Amino acid sequence: MAIPSILVEEKTTEYTVEDVVCPFCGCCCDDLIVTVRDSRIVDVRNACALGASKFLHMNEGRLLKPKIGRFDTAKEVSVDEAIETVANLLKDSSYPLFYGWACTSCESILLGLDLADLLGGAIDNTSIICHGPTVLAGQELGLIAATLGQVKNRADLIVYWGCNPLEAHPRHLARYSVSARGRFIDGRRDRKVVVVDVRRTATARMADLFVEVKPGYDYELLSALKMLVKDLDLEVDEVGGVPVSEIEKLADMMVEARFGALFFGTGLTMSRGRDKNVEAAIELVRCLNFKTKFVLIPMRGHFNVTGANEVFTWRTGYPLSVDFSQGYPRYLPGETTAVDILRRGECDLFFVVASDPISHLPRRILEHLGNIPVVALDPKITPTVYLSDVAIPVAYTGIEVEGTAYRMDTVPLRLKKIVEPPQGILSDVEILGMILEKLRG
Amino acid sequence: MKEALLIRNGIVYDPMNGVEGEVMDIAVEGGVIVEDVDEREAKVIDASGMLIMPGGVDIHSHIAGSKSNIGRLLRPEDHRRSYEPRTAVTRSGVGHTVPSTKTTGYRYARMGYTTVFEAASPPLKQKHTWEELNDIPIIDKAALTVMGNNWFIMDFISQDRIEDAAIYAAWLLKSTKGYGIKIVNPGGVEAWGWGGNVYDLDDQVPYFGITPREIVEGLCRVNSILNLPHTIHVHTNRLGMPNNCWTALRTVHTIRKSFGGGRPLIHITHCQFSGYAGSTWTTLRSGAEYIAKYVNSIDHVTLDIGQVVFTDTTTMTGDGPLEFRLFQSLAGKWANADVEVETGAGVVPVKYSRRSYVGTIQWAVGLELALLIDDPWRVCLTTDHPNGGPFTAYPRVISWLMSSKARGKVMEKANRRALKYTVLPSIDREYTFTDVAIVTRAAPARLLGLKSKGHLGVGADADIAIYDIDPRKIDPAVDYRMVRRALRRAAYTIKGGRIVVVKGEVVEDIPGRSIWVDVAVPGDRIEEVIREVKPRFEEFYTVKLSNYPVPESMLIGSSPIKVNPSI
Amino acid sequence: MRVTFRPLTPFKVPVDLSPITPDNLEDMDIGEIRSLQISLGSKRKRVDEVFSVELSEDAEGEVAVVFMGDFSKARGIGSGMSKGSITVKGSGGLRVGEYMRGGTIVVEGDVDHWLGMGMRGGSINVKGSAGSYVGAPPKGSSKGMRGGSIMIEGGAGECVGAYMRDGSIEVKGSVGLFPGLRMLGGVVVVYGDCMGRAGARMKDGRVIILGRAGSILPTFQIEEVRPSVRGVRERLEGPFYVFQGDLSEDGRGRLFVSKQSNPELEYLEKLL
């Protein structure tokens, strides 16, 4: 990629890249201005603290050399040697599991799917531990979605359910929802904001209505709302700790909205009931569409976890948890899901790309990793890299390599290359390509 | 490397060059058809007793992009009944009605199809469309860009600034690597942004001071100004509703004044879904006769049929309100995906049953259109994949067109009451192989303005389909089963001079090309319009203008077609 | 005919046992059985590379298949079978009895998820516990169990009997959330406790909970208190609270909840 507007000064080289897409969260804000001096990123404007810190601190704790060997026995090796070792491990395996794919480009995910297809392994992405339930629910009923611009231009009611964007997606409110200005809506004063959560979060404090639901009672509350929207009576006095009068108030607000948007987070997808909670939310929005216009949009976490679902779907038909052991894509939650495969100790190799499962999967599930080879591709030293038998450093997607990512509302964006990766470090696309070549060889 | 190929003694149907079943040799070198090759250096295919046609061209098929992928996501049960294991040369895949990317390419190639147009792509999500098209192997691809509900286009038209609308449209095509102007339920999808719709050509689009009629007329003028290779490609208002054939005809009629002879002005896509008379679902009638009568009397319209086949399939369209209406009546799965500033989309699985009254009418309408319109050059065969049925049903549809016996077989089991309100039982026209070659290759290529496709003349792309059937020895009206079988699995498919399919199996997995239109609007005029648009663009969209275009480097085998507009 | 399969070594990767059903083995001799292809992870193997196979002809009548050992990594035991019997002397893995049409399956240990997936007939008896989605259709489909009977002596996971249309499922132990989810017919009996949300979105059919019911959804309306209710084979003594639901789906299903085990529901009697 050409690096625009290069300002050459005496001795120091400084340039800025504009309209950079932020490779941090699912908001994929695309208005960042990044300044680079002497090949180092020195300033990031427009980003939130979370996004800026990824750019500014990316070189801390980096993995700079491929290694072979676990923990302290690790030895530095060349890229070629590491790739040779990985290819041999893969050749010997009869059911490798590929996992990760949320923090990399679609190009890289496609190569991962190539590998799994070629070897007859299983492949899964990290959405299983965040919004996997959303896609599972989508398979039952269908998602009723819109891009964020529909919300920005039209929505006069915003509902945040089980998410706290002020802390997790800091720019979501200003760019896309609560205070965003569009063609028909002039910012915050034209909108009502509702937050449904188990505690009064920062986001809840700026809402017009905060509904505090008992932890684990989202399904009940959504069911009650569905009843009210369908003009049916509730026989109980409270649901999930919320008095019926308050539920009625929320139902009225929803029905009276001209364009309502329900954003939901892991508070809904990862609490008691998981995908069924999302199904209940979809059912509610279906009913609302008979009376007004309503959409629902998941608050996806990592910047390209949505892309992982998209790429998996177009290549295999299934958004996550795909198994190729029979020679074609198969999918069944609970059978082909990475956590279940690990729990039953069924894979004989664990290949991690752009993720740190050791830190975020339950310990009980990870016990099996003591018995099988683990391979990791990562830009930095993570607990997974530390535990792995082979680890290969890769460049940061969206900072050091370009590629495509999908925003939480499935809008595709091109990530930019802003600086060169450290000497000798390749992109995961290049590394996966080399492994594939060795295997096809 | 110049690979030479000589196909000997095939029975060739190449209607664009007036060849109707002549035994001849075809020579290929460097990916194109040539006068002759050196026999000693060429690979020779003996095609004696085999049918040869140009590679198939599909003018309208939903194969890639956001809503195809929503369809895939929505239908795991569809994938389980149809899967393709990996082979030494191909990747695995799944999907009966919404096949995965690789499988889509292989299945088209196995039927002898080599060029497919993705029917509707919203510019904001066109990167997604191209990522999927890149992953579809073998066939050449292009994408039509939806513009019929685009705010900037509607604003320009309502301000009567047609030339600026044209410049914006040219910029859209160029920056998103689109091929032509697609109009989906003009104004109606914008109204769906508020949960509404428009029901007539003269309904007002809320807040835009414009009507569907003005949008169609405006974009038709835009198309003429830009000299685009294809006409406007229109999915009419009221699609899929009773009594909509009049809406379709009025849509065609309204632009007649700009027609001064020469090339057609409008393409009515999946016309079957716009071909109903009768005011309610229970009194639904076929409107194909009215449409055919009108089309036969004028010259400025072309259409593809959007045939329905009796199967369980997945409907998907940019027409959001249509899918919501379908969901209201079926109450099954329903996905919706509005796209800011531009369009919407919806996906609903349906099942067309021959026992059903409506299903039978729908089935008859498509065939009636194909059989009652005299000039096959103005008709293309489609199923509006996957809306009327998957593209893999084309051989079945062809057998119905070629054989009234085949149609009779279906009618025996179809809904009797429905058949009374169609004229299909009384039609005895049967397509010849020439007609078939026209509606599946030559006509779509000509209507799309693809000069090197759809024929086998010297200089044409060497996209060739060879089928193991001898048209001199069989009567398709009787042996329609043999025709169907042969067309399902090409004996050979040659794409760009490479043999990619042998005996119905893919033998080489090559990437296809990505075709788009590069309209040479003077740079300063584009800059002027875009400078004016930019502040509002960034107010309405959630992406920066600079992040909106699809970089050409994203396209595998980018093949722009240069177009000179009258600006 | 009785065919016994013993794994030569414990399984390290998934093993697909769907080809080994009484229907398939019926006309085979020992050589043919030994050369059957099954998949072990991504590799294709002959049966005798994986199992020691023992055939005893003395048993009269239908084919009896016996799996000895730990089959917790197995898939599809008894897939699509229509007759004969399968006994698993150990754990049974995933999708035991999927698309089963007849015959019997007995598993002496536990089974994992998707027991009796899309089942149409026959009977399954699990001595241990089962995972989630007992009798449910494969993901994305709405064609659940259409006949046959499942008896689980232990507990079961979530969504027991999802989309069920006919047949019966009995669970002696406790179940997770959502027994009878989107049910359209048939009966689910839970002798133990339920985590809650029984009968969610059910349109028809019956869910009976003899233990604690967990949370009753607001989409259910109490109808009456009944002294006893028809179970699968015998009448179950109550009394039971009878709910109609799921009203948000215009459901005509019935949810029976034991009065004794759920004293906190007593306030509902006021509504009658």
Side-chain angles (χ1 to χ4, degrees), chain A residues 19 30 114 117 149 152 258, chain B residues 86 91 207 539 544 546:
Chain A
D19 297 347
D30 73 333
D114 276 348
D117 190 3
K152 165 173 155 170
R258 278 202 76 197
Chain B
R86 155 183 89 245
R91 312 286 166 76
Y207 303 109
E539 187 190 341
K544 298 288 259 186
S546 75

Side-chain angles (χ1 to χ4, degrees), chain C residues 132 155-160 174-179 190 193-198 213:
Chain C
S132 295
E158 292 189 357
C159 305
V160 172
S174 297
V175 300
L177 293 163
F178 300 107
V190 179
D193 299 337
C194 157
M195 302 258 289
R197 299 175 187 166

Side-chain angles (χ1 to χ4, degrees), chain A residues 17-84:
Chain A
V17 186
E18 292 193 350
D19 297 347
V20 171
V21 178
C22 177
F24 185 76
C25 80
C27 283
C28 295
C29 302
D30 73 333
D31 59 346
L32 273 53
I33 300 170
V34 180
T35 308
V36 180
R37 191 179 303 135
D38 291 335
S39 313
R40 286 185 69 87
I41 292 171
V42 292
D43 186 32
V44 182
R45 266 171 289 159
N46 291 346
C48 66
L50 301 170
S53 110
K54 175 159 180 182
F55 284 95
L56 295 170
H57 302 293
M58 67 171 192
N59 282 328
E60 292 168 14
R62 273 199 89 147
L63 178 64
L64 290 166
K65 277 282 195 183
K67 65 131 195 179
I68 293 180
R70 285 194 176 195
F71 307 116
D72 300 331
T73 67
K75 276 202 298 276
E76 281 187 5
V77 294
S78 69
V79 173
D80 288 337
E81 195 179 339
I83 283 172
E84 182 79 42

Side-chain angles (χ1 to χ4, degrees), chain B residues 97-326:
Chain B
T97 63
V98 263
S100 53
T101 44
K102 294 283 180 193
T103 304
T104 301
Y106 302 143
R107 286 189 185 160
Y108 262 117
R110 292 207 306 239
M111 295 198 310
Y113 269 71
T114 47
T115 307
V116 180
F117 273 57
E118 158 56 37
S121 175
L124 181 64
K125 291 185 171 178
Q126 205 133 321
K127 290 186 200 80
H128 183 168
T129 309
W130 277 116
E131 281 208 297
E132 286 194 26
L133 289 175
N134 279 340
D135 208 38
I136 295 179
I138 302 177
I139 54 175
D140 288 345
K141 301 138 297 197
L144 299 174
T145 305
V146 286
M147 297 192 194
N149 294 277
N150 186 300
W151 288 1
F152 295 102
I153 299 272
M154 288 196 292
D155 284 343
F156 279 131
I157 294 175
S158 74
Q159 294 157 15
D160 215 14
R161 294 166 60 189
I162 296 297
E163 190 164 283
D164 290 338
I167 292 169
Y168 190 73
W171 177 77
L172 272 182
L173 289 175
K174 188 177 176 139
S175 55
T176 64
K177 313 295 175 274
Y179 190 86
I181 298 177
K182 172 76 187 289
I183 305 174
V184 180
N185 185 4
V189 188
E190 165 51 32
W192 175 242
W194 302 111
N197 199 354
V198 295
Y199 298 94
D200 186 83
L201 277 182
D202 296 312
D203 276 5
Q204 283 291 321
V205 181
Y207 303 109
F208 280 84
I210 198 170
T211 63
R213 185 189 300 278
E214 289 160 350
I215 296 172
V216 174
E217 286 180 357
L219 280 171
C220 187
R221 284 167 64 196
V222 163
N223 207 80
S224 304
I225 292 171
L226 296 180
N227 275 328
L228 295 179
H230 185 36
T231 59
I232 50 171
H233 193 102
V234 184
H235 159 133
T236 58
N237 299 111
R238 293 181 61 86
L239 192 112
M241 286 189 222
N243 224 13
N244 61 8
C245 66
W246 313 112
T247 313
L249 288 179
R250 284 209 303 278
T251 308
V252 176
H253 197 62
T254 191
I255 53 162
R256 75 197 176 284
K257 31 192 190 294
S258 2
F259 184 62
R263 294 176 52 212
L265 289 178
I266 183 168
H267 181 85
I268 300 294
T269 189
H270 39 73
C271 193
Q272 175 274 130
F273 288 112
S274 306
Y276 311 139
S279 51
T280 63
W281 286 112
T282 45
T283 60
L284 195 75
R285 309 281 184 265
S286 164
E289 245 186 310
Y290 310 116
I291 292 178
K293 208 166 161 188
Y294 184 82
V295 171
N296 286 336
S297 72
I298 49 138
D299 290 322
H300 68 276
V301 62
T302 62
L303 55 87
D304 63 89
I305 58 174
Q307 179 62 35
V308 155
V309 291
F310 298 120
T311 181
D312 172 356
T313 190
T314 312
T315 66
M316 55 179 65
T317 167
D319 195 346
L322 163 79
E323 295 290 3
F324 178 64
R325 225 174 35 248
L326 262 178

Side-chain angles (χ1 to χ4, degrees), chain B residues 424-445:
Chain B
L424 189 65
S426 65
I427 302 177
D428 34 8
R429 180 174 172 195
E430 288 172 335
Y431 269 35
T432 61
F433 280 106
T434 300
D435 291 335
V436 169
I438 293 171
V439 300
T440 57
R441 300 73 182 137

